[in-house]
Every structure is written in C-alpha cells, then in structure tokens.
Amino acid sequence: MVSAIGDTTDRLIEALEAAAAGEEARALSGLSRLQRDTERVLREFFAGGSAAVEAELVPFFDELARMARAVAVLHSVPAAGRDHFLAHGEMAAGIVVARALAARSLPAVGLDSREIVATDDRFGRAQPDLQETEKRVRQRIAPLCERGEIPVAAGYIGSSHAGATTTLGRGGSDYTAALLGAALEATAVQIWTDVDGMMTADPRVVPGARPIPTISFDEASELAYFGARVLHPLTLAPAIEKGIPVRVKNSRRPDFPGTEILASAESGEDPVRSIAFKKGIATVDVVTSRMLMASGFLRTLFDVFARWDTAVDMVSTSEISVSVTMDDLSRLPEIRRDLERLAQVDVARDRAIVCLVGQDLKFTPGLAARMFRTIEDVNVLMISQGASRRNVSFVVEEREVEPVVRRLHAEFFE
Ligand code: ASP
Ligand code: MG
C-alpha cells in the first residue's frame, strides 16, 4: 500500500480550498508547483531516467487542474469531488512505486484500489465494507502474492457502491494496510514512515526520550488522544483483531527495529510505557448543591456539551461538583452560558493534561505516590485514573507542563 508523497495531500487540500474561494490562479500555481516538486522526487528516484513516469503522471495533473478550474467557477466543492481530487495523491504514488519496483526488475503489478476497497459514501471518512473488501482482496490480490508478484495499490482511497471515489480520512493509508493485511491473513503488517516509531515522550520536549520497542494496542490507543503523531492506532484495529502484529519502521533507518504494536504486550521493568501531554486545555468546574443525592444531574450537564458538539476528555466528580476538561474551545461561550443556568461555573484556560500510560499501571502499587512525589512542588489541579487503569492523568498550568514531563520522564525512564 502506498501513501501520497510527502505533504502532497496537504497541498492538494490547499489548492482545492483556493479554488473553492474562487482563486483559480492560486489553485493552479499550487498544483504546478506540486507537479514540479513531484518530478524532482522522480528524478532522484529513477536513476535510469524518469521521463516515462513523469509522462504517465501528466494526465493526473491535467485532471487536477481541470477540476480546480471547475471548482473555481462553482465556488464550491461537492463532497464527492473533494474525495476524487484528494485521491490523486495516492493514485500517482501508486504508479510511481509500481514503476520503481519494475525498474529494479521486481515483478510489481499496479492495482486500482477503488476496485478493491468497497466503502459507504460518507465522503472524507468513508467506512469500508469489510466483507466485500475481504472478498475482493482474496480474489484480486491473494493470487498475485501466490505467484510471487508484488501487488502495489494506493492507500487511503476506495469507492462507494455507486462507484464514486471515496477517502477513508486523514492518515487513512494505515487503515488500508491493516484492512488488506487482515484480509490476506498476513504474517505481519509494517508501516514505513519517517520516525523511529512511538517514543517514551515527545523528543522535542524530553531530550532523553527513547523509542518504545513494543506497545499494546490499548496503550497506543490511550496515547492517540495526545497526538502521538506517528499513527492513529484505531486504524490498525482490523489487523490487531486478527492477531497480526503491526510494526512501525523508519524508512530513513531501515535497520532500526521501530515499534511493534501487539494485541497485548508485557511492560517489562518500567511500569510506565509513555508520558504524553496536551496543551491548550480548559477546565470547567461546575458546582451545585443540587447535585447532592440527585439523579440525572450528570446527564443534564453532559447534554450541554453534546448540544454544542464538544467532546469532554477528563472528568472528575465530587458530591457537589463536576470538573471536566475540553480542548476544542470554539463553543466555550455557549457552553458556559447554558451551564450557568444549572449551576455555578468556573472556567480556566491555559492548562495542560499530563498522562502516564502503561498496561500494568493498575498492578503497580505506589505508582501514584511515586509520581506525585516527583512533582510535589507543582500545583495539580485535577486528577483522574482512567477506568481502564492503563492511564493516570492530571492537569497542571500550561506553563509548568514541560518541566513536569521532563521530571517524570527522568524518574520513570532515565
Ligand atoms: N495521504 C493521506 C493523508 O495525508 C493518507 C495518508 O497519508 O495515510 O492523510
Ligand atoms: Mg501519508
């Protein structure tokens, strides 16, 4: 499975948005810059000459330009058109990789993923029809593998029952890889990216952060909220559910083992697998004596967040108060107004969540004590232990978060 080259998808989105704003010239010049940059990559990639592949991609870029002009005229993009447009990044990359393998005398066969991955028509976040996709994978891909050929297909894309091109959501190539790996009952799924895998902490904040050799699917999922940039673990579910290990590898350091994601993984000597954090959090404290012994209050409270389509992340309650955190503050004024009809409300911004994740945290006595002793001079504003007891999270002032993470990392890993 192949993903679009570099930041191609972002650049396609930019061009499309320019077109939708009626800025045809900006859209077209963005696309021709993308074409030139792609050709530059091809020249490095095909030592024996890239002219033939460049020529093969010309119709792709022509089609993108045609679509951009139409969008600029219409001043809007239909959802189906958007997916068809964005799919070109992956389709082009599929051709490039198939030709590159062939140029090295490997028996590559390029496939059109739209004929293989069947989805519904929720454009932009299409859901695959697992049974139908599995059937097609067995018919179309398995025989190639058996003959020793190398099937090459675009990730991220599929097609609806009506035949429209769909996309599975940003980062969707991993999802395609997991789907196909599961359908083929593969021995392993490998995701080749440009980092060493998942890390014990964000290396930009913690210089001593190190790669995580193995992690369980559940732990990886807990970390996903914190933007563990490497991958979105839920997209790996099809493979994990079938017991197929997924390994994240660095294409710039192929010998480095990377991170293996398994259905379950023992934690070894460190009870903590990774320390994550998220800034830009607001905490909302709702205080009312009406809650005392009353049923239905939480429901009323969460209805307010649901009404404004805002996710709540951490929650902690006492007999007369509920505190929650949120990171999407766009509806905060409306939420606050509605909550104030129910209770006394205190909102504080510029806070951050710190989260320790580990499969065996629940079996590790004294962990919380060790954790809070390490940062005993820090004002901890809210605490919660996830129901899975695979994570312990707490809230601090945003300006304190980086030193807090460094100290915890030193305590648990260094
Ligand atoms: N190219 C798509 C994206 O950037 C899909 C992927 O990279 O997995 O979101
Ligand atoms: Mg990608």
Side-chain angles (χ1 to χ4, degrees):
M1 301 306 313
V2 190
S3 187
I5 298 171
D7 58 359
T8 297
T9 308
D10 290 326
R11 292 171 69 177
L12 289 174
I13 291 173
E14 251 172 59
L16 196 58
E17 279 167 4
E23 297 175 40
E24 183 183 301
R26 188 156 71 88
L28 294 177
S29 71
L31 289 173
S32 47
R33 265 200 311 281
L34 181 61
Q35 183 167 11
R36 279 200 303 279
D37 290 346
T38 306
E39 287 166 356
R40 194 168 311 132
V41 172
L42 297 182
R43 283 196 290 276
E44 280 174 35
F45 212 45
F46 292 85
S50 58
V53 192
E54 279 173 42
E56 240 184 310
L57 296 192
V58 167
F60 280 82
F61 283 101
D62 286 351
E63 169 118 332
L64 285 168
R66 258 204 316 279
M67 284 190 277
R69 278 193 211 98
V71 166
V73 171
L74 296 172
H75 270 259
S76 78
V77 202
R82 184 183 166 89
D83 276 22
H84 186 67
F85 191 89
L86 297 185
H88 281 65
E90 262 69 13
M91 293 193 294
I95 295 204
V96 170
V97 171
R99 299 293 177 263
L101 292 171
R104 286 158 180 78
S105 308
L106 293 164
V109 181
L111 299 171
D112 186 341
S113 301
R114 293 172 300 176
E115 292 169 9
I116 295 166
V117 180
T119 72
D120 62 16
D121 58 4
R122 274 184 277 176
F123 296 105
R125 52 189 170 93
Q127 280 302 312
D129 174 338
L130 297 178
Q131 265 180 343
E132 180 59 26
T133 303
E134 202 162 301
K135 198 176 98 200
R136 296 185 193 175
V137 168
R138 280 206 228 94
Q139 279 168 356
R140 304 274 317 266
I141 300 189
L144 296 174
C145 299
E146 273 151 29
R147 287 203 295 271
E149 289 173 309
I150 306 172
V152 180
Y156 177 56
I157 69 172
S159 67
S160 70
H161 296 303
T165 305
T166 55
T167 65
L168 308 182
R170 295 304 307 272
S173 299
D174 298 346
Y175 197 15
T176 316
L179 278 175
L180 267 59
L184 289 166
E185 316 229 307
T187 344
V189 170
Q190 295 190 341
I191 293 179
W192 288 79
T193 176
D194 55 3
V195 291
D196 281 338
M198 303 185 72
M199 307 283 287
T200 52
D202 184 339
R204 288 166 299 184
V205 172
V206 182
R210 43 175 214 253
I212 302 173
T214 49
I215 187 166
S216 73
F217 177 68
D218 292 333
E219 290 170 315
S221 304
E222 298 274 8
L223 289 168
Y225 170 71
F226 296 93
R229 290 171 310 133
V230 181
L231 79 177
H232 200 298
L234 292 181
T235 62
L236 309 180
I240 301 287
E241 276 162 15
K242 283 213 172 166
I244 301 171
V246 177
R247 191 178 280 282
V248 180
K249 299 266 297 175
N250 188 347
S251 42
R252 292 171 192 180
R253 279 221 288 165
D255 295 331
F256 189 80
T259 300
E260 191 169 35
I261 302 157
L262 301 163
S264 68
E266 276 170 35
S267 46
E269 34 194 275
D270 305 310
V272 178
R273 187 86 70 187
S274 186
I275 302 175
F277 67 91
K278 190 172 190 117
K279 295 188 189 178
I281 299 289
T283 53
V284 180
D285 297 333
V286 181
V287 185
T288 170
S289 50
R290 271 207 288 155
M291 222 178 92
L292 209 58
M293 318 259 173
S295 68
F297 184 78
L298 283 179
R299 179 200 169 131
T300 316
L301 186 116
F302 286 129
D303 273 347
V304 172
F305 288 90
R307 189 175 316 140
W308 298 107
D309 200 15
T310 296
V312 152
D313 302 303
M314 268 171 75
V315 179
S316 90
T317 67
S318 82
E319 210 41 62
I320 56 155
S321 71
V322 182
S323 303
V324 305
T325 66
M326 50 195 272
D327 57 26
D328 171 4
L329 308 185
S330 55
R331 296 300 200 162
L332 189 52
E334 291 89 342
I335 291 170
R336 180 183 202 136
R337 185 197 63 209
D338 288 2
L339 289 175
E340 277 170 348
R341 298 198 179 122
L342 307 171
Q344 179 197 321
V345 180
D346 268 322
V347 176
R349 292 167 177 257
D350 298 324
R351 296 191 156 174
I353 301 180
V354 178
C355 172
L356 275 67
V357 170
Q359 189 73 16
D360 296 330
L361 291 190
K362 59 183 161 193
F363 304 123
T364 312
L367 183 110
R370 187 171 160 202
M371 172 175 135
F372 289 119
R373 205 179 313 114
T374 309
I375 52 162
E376 62 190 356
D377 52 322
V378 173
N379 192 12
V380 173
L381 304 159
M382 186 173 159
I383 303 172
S384 135
Q385 178 169 40
S388 67
R389 291 188 289 155
R390 264 186 303 270
N391 100 41
V392 181
S393 303
F394 60 92
V395 173
V396 295
E397 298 283 357
E398 190 173 86
R399 66 188 143 74
E400 291 193 294
V401 71
E402 294 183 355
V404 162
V405 170
R406 278 193 284 271
R407 283 159 67 186
L408 287 169
H409 193 273
E411 168 69 21
F412 287 102
F413 292 102
E414 292 166 37

